[in-house]
Amino acid sequence: MELSSKINPHRTILHCDCNGYYASVECLLRPELRNLPMAVTGNPENRHGIILAKNQLAKEAGVITAETISEAKRKCPDLICVSPHHDLYQEYSIKINNIYREYTERVEPFGIDESFLDMTDLWQNYAASPAQFADLLRKRIRESIGLTISVGVSFNKILAKLGSDFKKPDATTVILPEDLTTKVWPLDITNLLYVGKVTAERLRILNINTIGDIAKTDPDFLASYLGKIGENLSLYARGLENSEVQKYSELDEAKSIGNGMTFSEDLTGWEKIREGLSGLVDEVVTRLIKSKKVCNVIQVQLKSSDFQIFSRQTTLNRHIQKRDQVWPIVWQLINELWDETTPIRLLAVTVSGLENQGEVYTQMSFADIVSSNLSVADDSNKSKNSAKQDQIKNLIFELNQQMGGDFLKLGRNQ
Ligand SMILES: [Mg+2]
């Protein structure tokens, strides 16, 4: 139809979707579960708890997401139910997105285990075709993380998303403009993003059953019949959705706050590295304070002059916010990461595990203690003073514990 001439075929959008995410992460950390039918469930003690995710064996036994444990166990009596570990899923999600970000700055997470990537004019740097790039990315995630992803490749987000559902697990599906009428239009309407149960029922009443049926229905009628969603579905079905993939660095900072810098000259020597990192930490901490968040995961990433990426992160048992809390950990991580000789092209610092300030227990900052210690320095009450000193010692001990070594020591005046 003539409207298809408005399709923008020049974009290369990927939708990457982790396969059986929760269950896969659990099996990654407990490999003994891999060869047993297992599911991640709301509350394993309660047979009314529901299935949040299942592995391939459970799937083959007929277990489906969102049914109750008792329903699932009727079909699969040996089903092993485990509680979810959301912090881990978050951690792996960040790791996976950080890999995507090595290829493009336009990485837009869509839920914890899915992301859109805009690889327009970028895939050529890595592969002979967009499909080959998707294959490379799948291999990369499989080998470095141990999880599999399905990738849809198309000219907009909606069709890339639809493509990633085509073939699972660990598969690539390409939808070109010319595939729209042959591959997409015959599909049932529920394959289209945002066609939920209610919308589907309303469309079926009108005998609109396939995506092609939506495409061929008058857009104005759909808009008046379903409202804004009708208008959108018409655009989606005709391949005309054209929204941008957001830059990861500009996303809602609820999940992580990060700052990276590519240096015009490769950095060499500890002094330059310290300077580079110091500026990044300043900005991350400023944004952390500004957004009234505290963090407990800190990650440092570096890219060498030959484009190899290395990263290391640590999860603390407390939430922190201040610079003198974040800096020693960043410094420790770079000490573990950098071999002192490789020239560095890019440095990045990211904090995550964010919580609202005041809602979790945070440890006192080193500066807080030192300044309050100074304020009582003239106090003749020695015991008060030594209590402060104990606090400082405790803090140093704790920081050293967190960093796994004796990196901080008391000065001789203390
Ligand atoms: Mg998924």
Side-chain angles (χ1 to χ4, degrees):
M1 54 196 294
E2 78 276 11
L3 274 168
S4 65
S5 61
K6 286 192 200 160
I7 282 178
N8 179 356
H10 304 297
R11 301 171 77 209
T12 304
I13 310 297
L14 272 64
H15 179 260
C16 301
D17 187 358
C18 295
N19 306 124
Y21 186 57
Y22 290 4
S24 302
V25 174
E26 296 294 338
C27 291
L28 197 62
L29 297 159
R30 293 169 61 188
E32 72 275 13
L33 293 176
R34 206 165 279 179
N35 299 318
L36 301 166
M38 67 81 71
V40 180
T41 62
N43 177 2
E45 308 307 321
N46 179 350
R47 54 194 193 86
H48 298 299
I50 63 161
I51 308 290
L52 300 172
K54 72 273 171 193
N55 70 359
Q56 193 59 30
L57 286 173
K59 191 177 178 179
E60 283 164 17
V63 174
I64 54 175
T65 302
E67 69 181 343
T68 64
I69 293 174
S70 55
E71 282 170 330
K73 284 204 166 171
R74 265 201 294 278
K75 289 180 262 183
C76 182
D78 300 330
L79 185 70
I80 294 173
C81 298
V82 303
S83 295
H85 297 92
H86 292 286
D87 47 344
L88 271 176
Y89 311 149
Q90 195 61 47
E91 203 176 298
Y92 273 87
S93 176
I94 292 168
K95 278 189 199 174
I96 293 165
N97 277 306
N98 281 340
I99 291 179
Y100 299 154
R101 291 169 65 200
E102 291 176 26
Y103 302 96
T104 171
E105 61 178 347
R106 292 195 179 272
V107 173
E108 182 183 332
F110 191 71
I112 195 165
D113 71 327
E114 303 175 22
S115 295
F116 291 106
L117 279 64
D118 189 339
M119 288 299 297
T120 308
D121 297 331
L122 291 171
W123 58 265
Q124 292 91 337
N125 297 334
Y126 306 98
S129 68
Q132 205 182 80
F133 173 75
D135 293 344
L136 172 157
L137 197 57
R138 284 193 295 109
K139 184 166 182 272
R140 175 85 198 277
I141 299 291
R142 190 171 60 233
E143 288 174 357
S144 60
I145 306 278
L147 297 176
T148 62
I149 58 172
S150 292
V151 185
V153 184
S154 195
F155 53 92
N156 69 30
K157 283 156 83 174
I158 294 293
L159 296 174
K161 164 90 180 147
L162 191 134
S164 69
D165 275 337
F166 250 83
K167 221 168 137 196
K168 299 175 182 182
D170 206 2
T172 299
T173 300
V174 179
I175 297 177
L176 299 169
E178 56 265 37
D179 298 326
L180 186 63
T181 52
T182 53
K183 273 193 195 172
V184 178
W185 282 11
L187 296 175
D188 187 83
I189 47 176
T190 50
N191 288 285
L192 200 55
L193 189 63
Y194 302 122
V195 177
K197 220 173 165 182
V198 176
T199 304
E201 274 169 23
R202 293 200 64 193
L203 289 171
R204 287 192 210 285
I205 293 171
L206 302 176
N207 208 24
I208 296 174
N209 294 304
T210 65
I211 294 176
D213 291 340
I214 295 178
K216 291 169 200 158
T217 302
D218 176 20
D220 292 336
F221 168 75
L222 278 177
S224 63
Y225 182 61
L226 294 173
K228 187 72 190 165
I229 176 81
E231 200 179 306
N232 287 339
L233 291 180
S234 177
L235 291 174
Y236 298 170
R238 288 179 288 144
L240 299 177
E241 193 274 340
N242 212 8
S243 70
E244 268 195 349
V245 176
Q246 300 295 304
K247 286 184 186 172
Y248 195 88
S249 58
E250 292 172 2
L251 292 171
D252 170 23
E253 293 176 345
K255 287 170 197 147
S256 69
I257 294 177
N259 188 16
M261 194 177 274
T262 304
F263 299 94
S264 48
E265 268 185 68
D266 292 339
L267 297 187
T268 50
W270 279 114
E271 217 27 62
K272 282 187 184 164
I273 301 286
R274 175 185 268 273
E275 230 169 86
L277 271 180
S278 184
L280 295 175
V281 169
D282 281 350
E283 202 199 309
V284 167
V285 167
T286 305
R287 284 162 62 192
L288 199 58
I289 292 169
K290 221 167 151 185
S291 59
K292 297 189 166 58
K293 300 275 182 194
V294 290
C295 68
N296 75 337
V297 180
I298 297 176
Q299 187 198 51
V300 175
Q301 199 178 43
L302 64 84
K303 191 195 267 180
S304 61
S305 52
D306 57 350
F307 296 102
Q308 293 215 71
I309 305 248
F310 304 92
S311 76
R312 189 164 288 234
Q313 73 173 48
T314 188
T315 304
L316 310 173
N317 54 13
R318 303 261 177 90
H319 281 76
I320 59 173
Q321 186 191 54
K322 301 203 164 136
R323 193 187 194 287
D324 62 331
Q325 297 171 316
V326 175
W327 173 255
I329 294 156
V330 167
W331 189 243
Q332 167 62 12
L333 291 172
I334 192 73
N335 271 274
E336 290 170 13
L337 259 183
W338 192 46
D339 62 8
E340 303 196 30
T341 51
T342 310
I344 293 180
R345 169 70 50 90
L346 172 146
L347 281 171
V349 174
T350 306
V351 298
S352 55
L354 303 184
E355 297 284 355
N356 292 327
Q357 179 187 333
E359 284 180 21
V360 289
Y361 174 67
T362 52
Q363 70 186 31
M364 216 173 167
S365 105
F366 190 56
D368 285 343
I369 296 172
V370 171
S371 60
S372 58
N373 186 46
L374 289 175
S375 70
V376 296
D378 293 329
D379 196 326
S380 55
N381 186 344
K382 276 267 192 279
S383 66
K384 196 172 171 186
N385 209 348
S386 56
K388 286 286 178 193
Q389 294 210 4
D390 280 346
Q391 267 183 300
I392 294 175
K393 283 180 193 161
N394 286 342
L395 183 68
I396 288 173
F397 172 77
E398 205 168 321
L399 282 172
N400 282 335
Q401 287 270 301
Q402 284 172 359
M403 296 186 293
D406 276 331
F407 295 90
L408 292 173
K409 289 187 177 70
L410 275 178
R412 70 189 157 86
N413 291 334
Q414 290 168 328

